[in-house]
Amino acid sequence: MRHLLAVLLLATAGICSAAAGETAAAWGIEQLMHNLAQVKSARGKFVERKYLAMLNSPLDSSGTLVYTAPGRLEKRTLLPKPETLVLERDKLTIEFKGQHQRRTLVLQDYPVIWAFVESIRSTLAGDLQTLNRFYRTSLEGSEDQWRLSLKPAESKMQTMVKEIHIGGSRHRVRTIEIIEAEGDHSVMTITEDAS
């Protein structure tokens, strides 16, 4: 009886470790994209720090972000000066509050801007197919702390951006780092809105 119980315990332990191994093996870029696609809306606050070679100290900005699946993204910069960017389908609208200026761009007319926009929108939407259209993608880390690297596939984009790193935990994006081809870079840190 003890022998049978020991065999059952070993078999159960083997099944549990095999299941854990399958779960660990299942984690990858497809699972990350699936997790991100489950988010239908998200709000957060951001702090962005831009490091430019011609300046001794970084430029800081902050504000709010609102995402609504599958592709609406709104970035409201509050400091140092009010500015709003709204991405809706194939259009990007930029509004400078203090100057009462507004401009709308059709993304297909601006391939480099389109590729840049899709790095963020397609990640939030969990749209790996579109990401792969514009970037060579790679993922490192675990589900609790992951980092997605995007290297532009198009030569025009490569002249502007060397690489984009998007980091997060589970289905949340926490950081976006953009490394420009000329060496300047920016880091945006995103925190969930408690309201």
Side-chain angles (χ1 to χ4, degrees), residues 36-183:
L36 291 168
Q38 303 311 304
V39 177
K40 300 307 174 198
S41 67
R43 302 179 73 83
K45 295 178 181 176
F46 75 86
V47 174
E48 186 171 22
R49 188 162 262 206
K50 294 182 182 179
Y51 299 87
L52 307 174
M54 63 181 180
L55 297 177
N56 291 332
S57 58
L59 296 175
D60 291 340
S61 61
S62 61
T64 61
L65 294 169
V66 179
Y67 169 72
T68 306
R72 187 177 197 283
L73 183 61
E74 183 177 316
K75 177 185 178 191
R76 287 189 182 273
T77 301
L78 303 173
L79 296 171
K81 53 186 172 182
E83 176 185 284
T84 302
L85 278 82
V86 178
L87 175 63
E88 184 91 51
R89 295 190 181 104
D90 66 340
K91 292 185 177 134
L92 177 66
T93 302
I94 307 161
E95 186 175 351
F96 301 96
K97 298 281 186 192
Q99 302 166 3
H100 303 290
Q101 291 181 342
R102 183 183 192 135
R103 185 168 180 200
T104 299
L105 308 175
V106 176
L107 293 176
Q108 285 81 352
D109 295 340
Y110 300 89
V112 172
I113 294 172
W114 185 17
F116 175 72
V117 162
E118 288 303 343
S119 70
I120 298 165
R121 175 170 56 185
S122 296
T123 298
L124 291 171
D127 184 355
L128 185 57
Q129 183 177 357
T130 300
L131 272 180
N132 285 335
R133 176 179 174 186
F134 294 102
Y135 297 94
R136 291 186 313 278
T137 60
S138 64
L139 178 67
E140 57 187 44
S142 67
E143 191 171 4
D144 291 327
Q145 187 174 350
W146 50 265
R147 181 171 138 154
L148 180 65
S149 294
L150 308 173
K151 292 186 178 181
E154 298 283 328
S155 59
K156 284 183 183 177
M157 182 67 169
Q158 289 169 3
T159 64
M160 304 289 289
V161 174
K162 180 179 178 185
E163 196 164 6
I164 298 171
H165 300 288
I166 301 175
S169 176
R170 299 195 176 273
H171 60 279
R172 295 283 181 210
V173 171
R174 304 285 186 214
T175 60
I176 301 170
E177 180 182 15
I178 300 161
I179 303 167
E180 296 178 26
E182 299 296 319

